[in-house]
Amino acid sequence: NLPAINVDASPGDIFGKLQFGGMLYLEANNDRFALTSDLLFMNLNQDVVPGRIIESGKADAKQLAWEFAGLYRVGSVLEIGLGGRVNNVQAGIDIERKDIGGETTAIHASMSKTWFDPFIVIRVKGAVQDKWLYLLRTDAGGVGIGSTFSWQLQAQIGYQFSPLFHLKAGYRLLYMDYDKGEGEDRFRYNMKIFGPSIYFGVIF
């Protein structure tokens, strides 16, 4: 039951607070169908700025997102399909609050929430001369089942070094607006997560 807080941090800011993070993407496909799995995890930690009430402290946040999808090829480079995204957000604070008389009181608070967003996905994927790779992907969903609304955009371009290895660079933007509960049980997460990405791929 806290007031809404606005957060505006660049990818560089996030990277500076990153304790651990990782992404793992897996795909199985043939000429018509594709099954995908995309895992994202990040653990952020930052010192609390001291003030008149707070002596010191730390705030941390962990986010785990796993999305899966099944796609069907309807053209030479166009695919459409259905999928879902499981989201888990954990956040906590440990602070020393100043008391009258010069003493401090340790305060700890934490919360965790998990939800599922179904979505529709459209993907354009192909290669130029079997060497230069490109991918454009978008999905939209939530529709009140999990988030009120969620959407995502991805763009990638890469190079196929051999039949086994490729390297791609891209940009990703993921938006989720989740708002459930009332009063002290209310939980709201309304965020745009964005930034550049680099992928090293192995094909087998």
Side-chain angles (χ1 to χ4, degrees), residues 134-150:
Y134 63 88
L135 181 145
L136 294 172
R137 183 189 184 279
T138 183
D139 65 64
V143 295
I145 296 175
S147 300
T148 304
F149 186 62
S150 68

Side-chain angles (χ1 to χ4, degrees), residues 62 87-92 110-115 187:
K62 298 181 180 71
N87 302 283
N88 176 263
V89 175
Q90 302 177 45
S110 63
M111 59 87 179
S112 176
K113 199 71 175 180
T114 301
W115 69 94
F187 180 92

Side-chain angles (χ1 to χ4, degrees), residues 6-197:
N6 293 320
V7 177
D8 186 0
S10 70
D13 295 332
I14 298 297
F15 188 77
K17 309 303 180 186
L18 187 66
Q19 301 298 301
F20 179 78
M23 296 183 292
L24 177 64
Y25 179 82
L26 301 172
E27 178 173 334
N29 59 57
N30 57 23
D31 293 337
R32 279 295 177 184
F33 297 95
L35 297 175
T36 67
S37 171
D38 196 352
L39 185 68
L40 166 68
F41 176 76
M42 55 184 169
N43 181 3
L44 307 175
N45 189 287
Q46 182 177 13
D47 291 334
V48 175
V49 178
R52 291 191 303 172
I53 299 176
I54 299 175
E55 176 73 21
S56 62
K58 287 184 177 293
D60 65 84
K62 298 181 180 71
Q63 181 170 2
L64 174 68
W66 176 53
E67 63 182 44
F68 53 90
L71 297 108
Y72 179 74
R73 185 177 294 273
V74 296
S76 59
V77 296
L78 178 63
E79 299 169 308
I80 60 173
L82 299 173
R85 184 180 301 110
V86 179
N87 302 283
N88 176 263
V89 175
Q90 302 177 45
I93 58 170
D94 287 285
I95 61 174
E96 293 291 333
R97 185 185 64 193
K98 296 178 181 178
D99 297 331
I100 298 175
E103 300 295 326
T104 61
T105 299
I107 297 177
H108 171 77
S110 63
M111 59 87 179
S112 176
K113 199 71 175 180
T114 301
W115 69 94
F116 172 75
D117 288 334
F119 58 72
I120 298 172
V121 57
I122 299 174
R123 186 171 76 169
V124 176
K125 178 186 177 183
V128 178
Q129 298 180 346
D130 295 327
K131 289 294 184 181
W132 292 98
L133 312 174
Y134 63 88
L135 181 145
L136 294 172
R137 183 189 184 279
T138 183
D139 65 64
V143 295
I145 296 175
S147 300
T148 304
F149 186 62
S150 68
W151 57 268
Q152 181 175 207
L153 292 173
Q154 291 188 55
Q156 300 172 13
I157 187 169
Y159 187 78
Q160 186 83 36
F161 291 97
S162 73
L164 290 178
F165 303 108
H166 66 260
L167 187 67
K168 293 191 292 185
Y171 199 86
R172 185 173 189 175
L173 192 158
L174 172 61
Y175 171 75
M176 289 180 283
D177 182 6
Y178 179 87
D179 192 349
K180 299 289 184 181
E182 297 180 357
E184 293 185 357
D185 295 326
R186 186 188 182 201
F187 180 92
R188 187 177 191 197
Y189 181 84
N190 182 4
M191 297 285 285
K192 290 186 181 76
I193 305 168
F194 61 92
S197 55

